[in-house]
Amino acid sequence: MAPPSGCSLLVIGALGVFALDCFARAQKNSTLIFTKENTIRKCSCSADIRDCDYSLANLMCSCKTVLPFAVEQTSYNDHLTIWFTDTSALGPLLNFTLVRDLKLSLCSANILPTEYLAICGLKRLRISTEAKHPSPEQSLLIHDGGERESREKPMLLHQGWQTCMSISFLDMALFNRESSLKSYSIANSASMASNFPYFSYFRTFPVLSNKNYVVTFIY
């Protein structure tokens, strides 16, 4: 049998690289965080886990317990899913955190207060309220935030918090309703502390005064 030609070797090599890339994509893990009984569990999962199935998550994912006061500011460029029963842990986990693709699943029938989460660089939001309302999962694409975020390089501030050029405010009271997700965006918003005086976030977290932001409200 004649040895393979140089062209054949190139084709075989290219196919091998393609197969490895597909395998790596298939094996890419997603992050799952769930809160239950005053504990926070952070998991890396290689497969989708049914919402609010804590036992299956502990069995199928690699999980560790994180103390609430030890939650560190980080960023999530891939899928992040959070199961929660109330809003107490969501602020430390999400406020001014860079999250591209977020799913929030309410795992209780609790009535949630009108509280706002401030999320940086959000491109897609999914919510599930199956434990409260027998309704299908909802999804919302946020185009302005994603486009602006890709052009602006995030900056790390001296406090260690990450700022961004697009911020989405999510009204947690929307989990009490069965209506569809809605949003509206305000582009080129400067001096956010004065434009939105009722949002205490801008007095707590540093915002660059010489930058224009895209602000999105989700309700």
Side-chain angles (χ1 to χ4, degrees), residues 110-189:
N110 293 337
I111 296 176
L112 303 185
T114 300
E115 294 180 1
Y116 288 89
L117 296 176
I119 305 169
C120 285
L122 189 62
K123 290 184 176 181
R124 182 173 71 148
L125 172 68
R126 292 175 293 158
I127 68 166
S128 173
T129 59
E130 188 174 351
K132 189 179 182 70
H133 305 298
S135 55
E137 176 183 303
Q138 295 192 55
S139 180
L140 179 70
L141 294 177
I142 304 168
H143 298 285
D144 289 339
E147 293 170 1
R148 183 63 177 271
E149 183 67 27
S150 65
R151 294 196 298 266
E152 298 282 357
K153 183 178 180 181
M155 301 173 61
L156 290 177
L157 303 178
H158 65 279
Q159 290 90 340
W161 292 86
Q162 192 172 45
T163 189
C164 57
M165 297 299 102
S166 62
I167 301 176
S168 296
F169 289 101
L170 173 62
D171 180 6
M172 294 305 297
L174 64 84
F175 283 89
N176 301 326
R177 305 186 293 267
E178 297 186 53
S179 56
S180 300
L181 277 175
K182 302 179 182 67
S183 70
Y184 69 91
S185 298
I186 303 172
N188 300 320
S189 177

Side-chain angles (χ1 to χ4, degrees), residues 50-66:
R50 184 171 59 250
D51 282 340
C52 308
D53 193 333
Y54 301 100
S55 298
L56 186 61
N58 283 314
L59 179 65
M60 299 294 294
C61 305
S62 175
C63 301
K64 63 179 180 179
T65 299
V66 180

Side-chain angles (χ1 to χ4, degrees), residues 30-34 41-45 57-58 61-64:
S30 60
T31 301
L32 166 66
I33 299 175
F34 59 85
R41 296 277 284 169
K42 186 173 184 179
C43 308
S44 178
C45 305
N58 283 314
C61 305
S62 175
C63 301
K64 63 179 180 179

